[in-house]
Amino acid sequence: MIQEMPIRNSPIVPFKFKRYFEAQHGRIRVFGQCEVTGKNFELHIPTEEFFIYTQGFKNLDDALKSLSKEEREFISKGISPEAQKARLPPSP
C-alpha cells in the first residue's frame, strides 16, 4: 500500500478538469475534486505509464493499463469511481 503524503508545494501544473499531479517515489499522484460529488479523490500511476499517456504515444486505455476503468474515467472526465457507481442504474 502506498502511504499518502501531504502536498509539500501547492500544485503549479493543472491537469484536465481541475486535477493536478506531482511525482512521488517513482509514481505520479493525480488528485483533485470529483466533478459530480465534489469530494477529493486521488490515485497513483507508474511514472512510465503517465509519461507515455501525456506524450501522446498511446491512448488512455493502452497507456494506463495498471489503472481500473473507473480510475481512467477520473483522468479523462473528472468523475470518481464512487460517483460512477452512484450513477449506475440499480441491478434487478
Side-chain angles (χ1 to χ4, degrees), residues 4 7 17-20 29-43 74 78-83:
E4 185 175 326
I7 301 170
F17 302 101
K18 302 176 193 153
R19 286 183 297 290
Y20 303 89
R29 175 180 174 227
V30 179
F31 56 99
Q33 287 186 335
C34 172
E35 295 290 317
V36 175
T37 65
K39 293 181 182 178
N40 291 328
F41 181 76
E42 74 174 59
L43 54 93
F74 178 72
I79 302 171
S80 69
E82 176 187 353

Side-chain angles (χ1 to χ4, degrees), residues 15-85:
F15 201 59
K16 295 179 183 177
F17 302 101
K18 302 176 193 153
R19 286 183 297 290
Y20 303 89
F21 59 92
E22 67 182 4
Q24 290 185 345
H25 309 291
R27 298 179 72 78
I28 302 295
R29 175 180 174 227
V30 179
F31 56 99
Q33 287 186 335
C34 172
E35 295 290 317
V36 175
T37 65
K39 293 181 182 178
N40 291 328
F41 181 76
E42 74 174 59
L43 54 93
H44 295 84
I45 307 169
T47 303
E48 303 82 31
E49 290 182 14
F50 189 74
F51 177 78
I52 289 169
Y53 171 63
T54 57
Q55 296 303 309
F57 297 129
K58 293 186 178 180
N59 66 30
L60 181 73
D61 293 333
D62 292 336
L64 304 178
K65 291 188 178 278
S66 67
L67 300 181
S68 68
K69 180 181 176 186
E70 292 81 13
E71 290 171 325
R72 290 192 300 264
E73 189 82 6
F74 178 72
I75 301 256
S76 66
K77 296 184 181 156
I79 302 171
S80 69
E82 176 187 353
Q84 292 172 47
K85 290 176 186 169

Side-chain angles (χ1 to χ4, degrees), residues 88-92:
L88 292 175
S91 57

